[in-house]
Amino acid sequence: MPAIQDHPLRYQLANELHARPFPVTEAPCTVVYLAVKQTDEAAARDRGADRAHLLSLLDRHGVTHPSPDATHYSGQVGRHLLKWESHTEFVTYTAFSTGVSGRAFDPADFDVFPEDWLATMPGQRITSAMVRVVPRPPQEEIKTAIEEWFVPESLAIAHVLDDAIVAAGDFRIDPAGHMRFAMFVSPGTGQRRIGRVIQRLCEIETYKAMSMLGFARVRELASQIGQLDKRLTGLMNQMIAGDSRAETLLPDLLATSTELETLSARASFRFGATRAYEAIVNQRIEALREERFEGRQSFADFMMRRYEPAMRTVKATERRLQALSDRAIRAGDLLRTRVDVERSAQNQALLESMDRRADLALRLQHTVEGLSVVAISYYAVSLAAYLLYPLTGFGVSKGMLTAVVTLPVVLGVWWAVRRVRRRIEGPHR
């Protein structure tokens, strides 16, 4: 039996589903997380610079390098387990260490990333977080800890994964510049389950921050969109009033439409990315399977109150920009119709003018023909009279001869002119 031929991408695509496994860890542990994004054109960035920066960190600890085309890496760096991932617009570094410091969320835990290394990273921090994972204490101790560690107004806390873990965070940047998350792990919770919750919390924070870039973009566009809306409305009013000719409105309409299309093209990627990131945030929260902790605000509640309004603003702005583009297209169609109507009226007036000129030309032609008959008849009568002068010898006077030949000659000339005109006009009828 001949061997089955595999598609050249079969193994690559199958392995992609297993390329980013959840971390495996246990309580107590400390997790330090960093997400870095280039300021401009992050999706088309030089990914080689990201890899080179990772290698510089690995070389400090004499760790083996990943493959040249790797988009993820996991390995031991000193006393930390380092996990690195390259995404469409950003890269993430996650460092796991066993145990927790005596001081909760101690900034010294972030020293796994040296200051000089952070200063040379190719991009800027989009977010960073510290996750404190401890065995679950009694309920009162959890309440005391979260009141000490987090801002009560912003606190989100819930039982997750069927009460395997109590997760908490306030999505505020602490004095050291990091987000804070706490996990209180119930006895018997598996290491993989702990790792899944850690990764989901980090992903919720990262994709929330990335989607909020769309909200920042909307704020930048608000005044420009308002001006374009005003300009387009003014052009539409001028078209309706009919105060200006279509030729004078067309350049302004083209300029407005071009600016709208340029604006839409520049914002389309950010709007699309924001939709995708928002969907991931909601999916990761749903995957936590939250249950309320003593009636307090859950992660889903926090997002509904603080996050979703910003996302609705982004969606509304995207729809408004699309509506403006559609209005510009309709305005162009209306202006084109108006130009066609004006041209039709001009053509009609031109045809009427041509008809009048043709009528005048015809009348002039008839007049010229009449005068031509008279002139030709005059010369023809003179010639005929000269031909008949010999008859004067038989007692006929010249006046009588001229009178006799005038009428036949005029009729003959008139008939000849009409015959010539009919021959000329015949092929054109």
Side-chain angles (χ1 to χ4, degrees):
M1 179 178 179
I4 299 177
Q5 292 187 355
D6 287 330
H7 189 281
L9 298 177
R10 181 192 175 203
Y11 285 94
Q12 178 181 344
L13 297 177
N15 293 334
E16 184 65 25
L17 301 178
H18 311 284
R20 304 175 190 269
F22 289 107
V24 178
T25 187
E26 61 183 3
C29 73
T30 300
V31 181
V32 176
Y33 179 81
L34 174 66
V36 179
K37 175 188 176 297
Q38 291 191 10
T39 306
D40 301 316
E41 303 294 336
R45 68 187 185 279
D46 179 14
R47 297 176 186 268
D50 296 335
R51 184 176 185 276
H53 198 57
L54 168 66
L55 298 184
S56 69
L57 180 62
L58 299 181
D59 289 341
R60 295 177 183 233
H61 299 274
V63 180
T64 305
H65 294 180
S67 59
D69 57 346
T71 58
H72 59 92
Y73 168 82
S74 182
Q76 196 70 30
V77 176
R79 65 183 184 89
H80 298 86
L81 174 65
L82 179 67
K83 183 179 180 182
W84 172 84
E85 293 184 352
S86 176
H87 299 266
T88 303
E89 289 193 90
F90 58 93
V91 294
T92 61
Y93 296 83
T94 312
F96 301 82
S97 61
T98 303
V100 293
S101 58
R103 175 188 174 188
F105 303 104
D106 189 344
D109 292 335
F110 211 80
D111 291 344
V112 60
F113 302 122
E115 290 186 3
D116 60 332
W117 180 84
L118 291 172
T120 59
M121 63 184 177
Q124 298 176 338
R125 173 172 57 180
I126 189 65
T127 189
S128 61
M130 301 181 69
V131 185
R132 185 178 178 88
V133 183
V134 296
R136 183 170 179 173
Q139 201 87 336
E140 290 301 321
E141 292 187 21
I142 294 178
K143 293 166 60 176
T144 301
I146 61 176
E147 289 175 1
E148 179 184 349
W149 297 342
F150 303 109
V151 177
E153 179 190 2
S154 304
L155 175 64
I157 183 171
H159 300 278
V160 301
L161 299 186
D162 305 322
D163 199 24
I165 298 171
V166 174
D170 60 5
F171 296 98
R172 288 181 177 269
I173 301 175
D174 68 10
H178 312 301
M179 295 288 180
R180 292 181 176 185
F181 294 99
M183 291 172 50
F184 305 96
V185 181
S186 299
T189 303
Q191 295 179 354
R192 296 185 183 279
R193 175 168 283 194
I194 297 173
R196 286 198 297 271
V197 175
I198 291 172
Q199 180 157 329
R200 284 167 183 162
L201 290 176
C202 292
E203 288 176 344
I204 289 170
E205 165 54 26
T206 302
Y207 289 111
K208 174 187 68 66
M210 290 298 298
S211 57
M212 289 299 289
L213 292 176
F215 181 68
R217 180 66 172 150
V218 162
R219 284 183 168 179
E220 295 175 359
L221 296 177
S223 60
Q224 193 172 358
I225 292 176
Q227 293 174 1
L228 289 172
D229 191 357
K230 185 177 179 180
R231 283 167 52 186
L232 187 59
T233 301
L235 289 172
M236 294 290 290
N237 291 335
Q238 291 182 48
M239 290 172 58
I240 294 173
D243 298 334
S244 303
R245 292 180 58 83
E247 289 79 0
T248 61
L249 295 176
L250 184 58
D252 292 338
L253 181 58
L254 287 176
T256 302
S257 299
T258 301
E259 194 169 348
L260 274 171
E261 290 302 317
T262 302
L263 202 63
S264 297
R266 290 178 177 175
S268 61
F269 175 82
R270 181 50 55 201
F271 286 150
T274 298
R275 288 195 303 271
Y277 295 145
E278 180 195 7
I280 294 175
V281 169
N282 294 329
Q283 289 171 357
R284 297 301 187 267
I285 292 177
E286 184 179 355
L288 291 176
R289 302 200 301 274
E290 293 182 286
E291 297 177 5
R292 290 193 180 277
F293 180 89
E294 295 189 349
R296 294 175 182 256
Q297 174 179 250
S298 65
F299 287 89
D301 293 335
F302 177 89
M303 294 301 172
M304 180 182 67
R305 292 179 54 203
R306 310 291 182 90
Y307 174 69
E308 288 187 9
M311 295 300 99
R312 285 197 294 269
T313 301
V314 175
K315 294 173 185 176
T317 302
E318 183 179 10
R319 289 193 298 268
R320 183 184 180 190
L321 193 56
Q322 182 60 49
L324 281 176
S325 297
D326 295 339
R327 282 178 57 194
I329 293 174
R330 290 194 297 270
D333 293 339
L334 291 173
L335 187 60
R336 190 179 301 110
T337 301
R338 180 175 169 181
V339 169
D340 292 340
V341 170
E342 290 180 357
R343 287 181 178 176
S344 298
Q346 292 174 357
N347 292 338
Q348 183 66 29
L350 181 61
L351 290 175
E352 292 176 356
S353 175
M354 293 176 63
D355 288 342
R356 289 193 298 270
R357 291 179 182 179
D359 184 58
L360 291 174
L362 182 61
R363 292 181 183 180
L364 180 62
Q365 180 182 352
H366 290 167
T367 302
V368 171
E369 287 180 358
L371 295 175
S372 300
V373 169
V374 173
I376 295 173
S377 298
Y378 174 80
Y379 289 108
V381 168
S382 299
L383 291 175
Y386 280 117
L387 291 174
L388 296 177
Y389 277 167
L391 296 178
T392 57
F394 299 98
V396 181
S397 66
K398 292 182 180 181
M400 181 62 69
L401 288 175
T402 303
V404 169
V405 301
T406 297
L407 183 59
V409 169
V410 171
L411 292 175
V413 170
W414 175 80
W415 177 81
V417 171
R418 284 182 60 86
R419 184 178 178 85
V420 170
R421 189 181 70 182
R422 287 179 179 178
R423 287 183 177 179
I424 295 174
E425 293 178 351
H428 302 284
R429 289 181 179 178

